[in-house]
Structure formats: structure tokens, C-alpha cells
Amino acid sequence: MMYTDTRDRSVSVNFRTAVLNGMNAQTGGLYIPVEFPRLDSSFLERIPEPSFREIAYEMAKPYVKDEIPDSDLESIIQDCYPFTPKVVPIDPVTYVLELFHGPTCAFKDFGARFMARVMSYFNRSQDRALHILVATSGDTGSAVGSAFLNVPGIDVTILYPDGKISPLQEKQLSTFTGNVRALKVKGTFDDCQKLVKTAFTDQSLREQFRLSSANSINISRLLPQAFYYMFASLVVRNRIPLDSKIDGASVITVVPSGNFGNLTSGLIAREMGAPITGFIAATNRNHTVPDWIATGEYAARPSVATLSNAMDVGAPSNYERISAMYSLDEVRRILAAYWTDDEGTVDGIRQCKSKTGYVIDPHGAVAWKAWNELRTSGIKADAASQAGGVMQPGFAASVPEWAQSIAEKKAAAILLETAHPAKFGATVSNATGQEPSMPERLEKVMSLPDNAVPMGKDYKSFKEWLLSNLR
Ligand SMILES: *Cc1c(COP(=O)(O)O)cnc(C)c1O
């Protein structure tokens, strides 16, 4: 497979280059495969559906062809996924896709573990260390840190906004040792991301160190996230006729979104044949994308802090990939876009619990809220009121055709539950009056010592720190 660049279609690189460079330093653009091959219909139609690992292997194959032999790919997949996603029905037409069964209890484990193993595979004959720089608004850092921990020849520096992530998330980030370390930056996630982006375009720094990224801008994190969309949509397609007696239901996938890496992976899965009719992009007060869908104008902005803090992104990087893959009209046909505020998020946690008994985290709650609003009230097509963006919580006034199937009760939803509710225990217990139970792997981290290094948000101090600490 060849990969091109969102900003320059004449670029053509192989998988190894796309993975190790992270982004194209010459253009500032993002790598994207030149095609998304459809899986064989005999594979897609199989009943029962193939296992998660089988799907992962089949989907990864075309993207690494000629660079990773089948048997090596198979061991990479086995090593990545000792855990699997789980599809949990919570009412007759609503399925939660639990993506928190990995080591750090968030969906980012799926992408980070694949990336780590692919990078170490490509790095195996190098004698210089590969330095990974990663900015995180929440769960990226811990997933990436955990995925690379003790991987020889690779060194990881994590930047997170000091005081803007949950205490448990901070504990997960600040307690790594050895080849993984964290910097707590006096600033926002966007400041962290800017430091990392500046480092990547800093020629003098790049001459000294082999740098790579691990954000959702890295294509090797994006591709594996497509695996669970395929898996869940096949499972749900096969279950709907049994669970709700609906034939030919449309499958709507609701994605709590920040940097839009997860949603982009969903779009890739759909291109590869996943039976997904449409997507809801569910966001918080950082509603840059809903505003884009509403007005046709994309306007990045500074992020604001919310209860679903892993989605606090005002300038979502993967907008660039989405708009490279589709025209605005196509996006409007595939996607409905929604946002809610903190009040709505708390209400979503409470509502989901009282209507279904399911305890959902603040990110999944935004997805629940969007789905529940869509199936009870629909989307109002009052475009005039949204000329300046989606001013009130709710849907962008762009109604995809598939919304009709929801009104006709011929649709089911897959809600992506991107983190374990115990990671946001205070918010969840405030909403439901009940503390979510804590998985053992999270409990353990609370007693480890904090090793994070304080850092300003100016590039100069960051660079100085890198020069005196990286080897
Ligand atoms: C990162 C994250 C998101 C947002 O995912 P994007 O790919 O950035 O859109 C949502 N929920 C949780 C828990 C996350 O960690």
C-alpha cells in the first residue's frame, strides 16, 4: 500500500515511512492510504461473524503488504490484542461497544499497541533510539506509554496540560519509569500539541534526534481502530433481527469525538465494507465540527475544558483527513453532528442509568445523549438559525437521509464507550449517586510515585529540555 499526503497528492511513501515520520515535515500534512480496499463479501457475510483478531488481521493485511510478512503480522496482532472489544445490548435497539478492556481502560489501547509493535518491528535493525513525542488531552499518553513501556530502542516523552485532566488520568501518566516519561505543561492541550508540532518541523532538532509522533495523526494508530468498527457492525447486523425483530435495519454508529481520529477510523471501516449506515459525531462544547457541518465553514478555535476532557479539542487534526476523503456534501450525507454541554453530559449519564441500568462514562454519555435525542426528537432542519454555527446544544441542522430510518423505527445504534466509567468516578457518582467499581489495573496505579516534570508552554524551554534529556 502506498500512502499520500492530505496537503500534497504527489507524495507517495510506503507504510514504514508513514509510520516512522508520523506526519510529513515538508508540508505539515498527514499521511493517508491511497485506497481503502473492501474486504471480500464472503468474509463480510460470514455467520457467525469472524472473531475480532481474524478481522484485525484481514483488515491490516492490505495496509502493510510487501512490508510485513503475513506470519509476522499475525504475531503482531496476537501480541496487540490479548483483550477484545465487547458488544453489550442495553435496550432492544442500542448496543454499547465497550472499548475499555485493554491495560489503560480506554479505546486508545487498540491503536497505541498496534503502533508500538509496528514501530519496534520497523526499528529492529536501527542502532539509534527512536524518540516518540506525544501530546495528550487525557487517555492518549497512558495508552501510548503503556504500549511502549520497556520496548527496546524506543523512548517516549508525553506532554499533558497540567491540572486539566482527571486525577486518575494524571496518575496513569506521571507514574511511568524507564523509557517513558511525562511533562506537565502549564497550558492547554492545544499548547501541548503545538509544542510537539513545532518540534517536528524544527530542522535542527530533527538532525540530532530521530523523532516520531504517536498522536492520532499517526496512521498506524488510526488503521487498527477500524478493526473494532468492523467487528461491532458485523455482530450487531447479525443480532438485530434476533434482538429487535427488525429486518434490514440501518446501523448508526455514535462516536464521542475530540481529535476525530476515532471517527476517521470508523469512516475507514465503512469504506472497507463495514455495514454502517451512518455516523453521529458527538462532541462537547468544543463543537468545531458540528459548526462546520452546519455552516460549511471550518473554524478551528482554542479548546475549552469540559467533563468529557479527552474530547476537549478545538482544532481537531483529523479534520484534514476527513476533508481529504470526502467533499462537504458527502460528509453531510454520512455524518450527523451533535454537541452538548456539561449539564447535558451529566444528564446523559443519569438518563442512561435510569432508562437502561447501564453505567456510562462522561464521553460515552455524550454519545448516549445524541442517540437518545435523535430517536426521540429527530433533527430539526432549521438551517437559518444556525448561520453562525450550532449555538445551542443539539444537532447541526443537516439531516442525512438515514435519519428517516430512525423516525421509522428501522434503525439500531452502536454507542462507542471509549473509557471505563471508573476513570471519571467523581462525575459518574455525582450523576448517579453511585461510585462505579474500579478495575484492579486502575487501582494499582494510584499507589505509585509521581515522576512528572513541570514544563512551560514556550517552545524554547521545551527544546532545551529535550536537548539536555534525550540521548
Ligand atoms: C481520546 C478520547 C476520545 C476522543 O477520541 P478522538 O479520536 O480524539 O476523537 C473520546 N473519549 C475518550 C475516553 C478518549 O480518551
Side-chain angles (χ1 to χ4, degrees), residues 107-108 139 256-262 310-311 363 418-419:
F107 85 93
K108 293 190 174 75
D139 294 328
S257 296
N259 217 12
F260 279 75
N262 202 5
M311 291 152 53
H363 304 82
T418 47

Side-chain angles (χ1 to χ4, degrees), residues 4 118 151 177-178 183 189 208 255 257 262 282 319 386 400-401 445 456:
T4 186
V118 163
V151 171
T177 53
L183 307 179
F189 167 67
Q208 208 152 339
V255 188
S257 296
N262 202 5
Y319 159 75
Q386 293 191 10
E401 238 168 67
V445 86

Side-chain angles (χ1 to χ4, degrees), residues 365-379:
V366 175
W368 158 269
K369 184 91 178 152
W371 165 240
N372 206 49
E373 234 169 271
L374 184 53
R375 65 173 162 174
T376 49
S377 322
I379 302 175

Side-chain angles (χ1 to χ4, degrees), residues 209-227:
F209 302 113
R210 292 177 62 220
L211 295 183
S212 192
S213 75
N215 290 84
S216 52
I217 58 175
N218 196 299
I219 193 68
S220 68
R221 271 194 49 197
L222 223 52
L223 295 172
Q225 292 174 172
F227 306 160

Side-chain angles (χ1 to χ4, degrees), residues 55 108 193 235 336 430:
I55 289 171
K108 293 190 174 75
Q193 207 171 30
V235 168
N430 284 343

Side-chain angles (χ1 to χ4, degrees), residues 172-236:
Q172 283 187 298
L173 288 175
S174 62
T175 55
F176 289 116
T177 53
N179 65 327
V180 181
R181 68 197 72 82
L183 307 179
K184 47 180 169 187
V185 175
K186 290 251 163 307
T188 61
F189 167 67
D190 291 337
D191 292 322
C192 297
Q193 207 171 30
K194 209 164 122 201
L195 289 177
V196 169
K197 282 193 173 175
T198 311
F200 283 126
T201 48
D202 182 337
Q203 228 31 60
S204 73
L205 196 69
R206 292 202 80 124
E207 273 159 25
Q208 208 152 339
F209 302 113
R210 292 177 62 220
L211 295 183
S212 192
S213 75
N215 290 84
S216 52
I217 58 175
N218 196 299
I219 193 68
S220 68
R221 271 194 49 197
L222 223 52
L223 295 172
Q225 292 174 172
F227 306 160
Y228 52 70
Y229 284 91
M230 180 67 77
F231 171 72
S233 60
L234 294 177
V235 168
V236 166

Side-chain angles (χ1 to χ4, degrees), residues 116-117 120 147-155 179:
R117 277 145 194 82
S120 90
F148 280 104
L149 201 60
N150 301 324
V151 171
I154 299 189
D155 196 270
N179 65 327

